[in-house]
Amino acid sequence: QVRLVESGGGSVQAGGSLRLSCAVSGYTDSSYCMAWVRQAPGKEREGVAAIDSDGSTSYADSVKGRFTISKDNATNMLYLQMNSLKPEDTAMYYCAADPFVLARTVVAGRIPFLGYWGQGTQVTISS
């Protein structure tokens, strides 16, 4: 069974940085698309960043140039480096994975079905 466990969330002031981590277990096949999805109270889920099995990355326009997604296949870890944080980045951040989607579809608008989700980690940015 695939298990995703996020960590690294917290509270920082605007302009600060955070690095989210997602520990992946339950499979060794690195062919999955991995993604970070966030949801703020009262808002729809938003695909923030995603990475394909070949390392290709895609980002939502709202975070381009500020966030970087990366993965380490050797340690089964997914990361999201978040710089120049803004109050509007405040949300619960989820790590997600699926073997049948492409990264560009996760950030294109309506999030496709993603089969595996973590429990989320809260990010709060104060102005």
Side-chain angles (χ1 to χ4, degrees):
Q1 183 177 353
V2 177
R3 185 168 182 239
L4 308 175
V5 180
E6 303 95 334
S7 61
S11 298
V12 298
Q13 290 190 325
S17 298
L18 283 172
R19 188 194 195 203
L20 305 184
S21 299
C22 175
V24 183
S25 61
Y27 71 87
T28 56
D29 185 351
S30 60
S31 66
Y32 283 50
C33 171
M34 304 293 300
W36 288 99
V37 177
R38 68 186 180 187
Q39 187 165 26
K43 294 190 176 181
E44 295 286 325
R45 291 183 307 176
E46 177 187 18
V48 173
I51 185 166
D52 283 320
S53 58
D54 65 358
S56 300
T57 57
S58 296
Y59 297 92
D61 288 343
S62 58
V63 306
K64 277 180 183 176
R66 300 188 298 121
F67 289 12
T68 302
I69 188 172
S70 61
K71 63 177 181 175
D72 186 333
N73 291 331
T75 58
N76 286 338
M77 293 293 296
L78 179 74
Y79 302 101
L80 184 68
Q81 179 65 45
M82 305 186 295
N83 298 328
S84 302
L85 284 162
K86 304 175 181 180
E88 51 263 42
D89 294 319
T90 295
M92 185 71 79
Y93 283 71
Y94 298 92
C95 172
D98 196 278
F100 302 118
V101 301
L102 296 175
R104 57 181 171 81
T105 66
V106 177
V107 302
R110 186 172 181 177
I111 297 174
F113 175 80
L114 297 169
Y116 304 100
W117 293 80
Q119 83 288 349
T121 186
Q122 178 68 38
V123 171
T124 303
I125 311 302
S126 58
S127 57

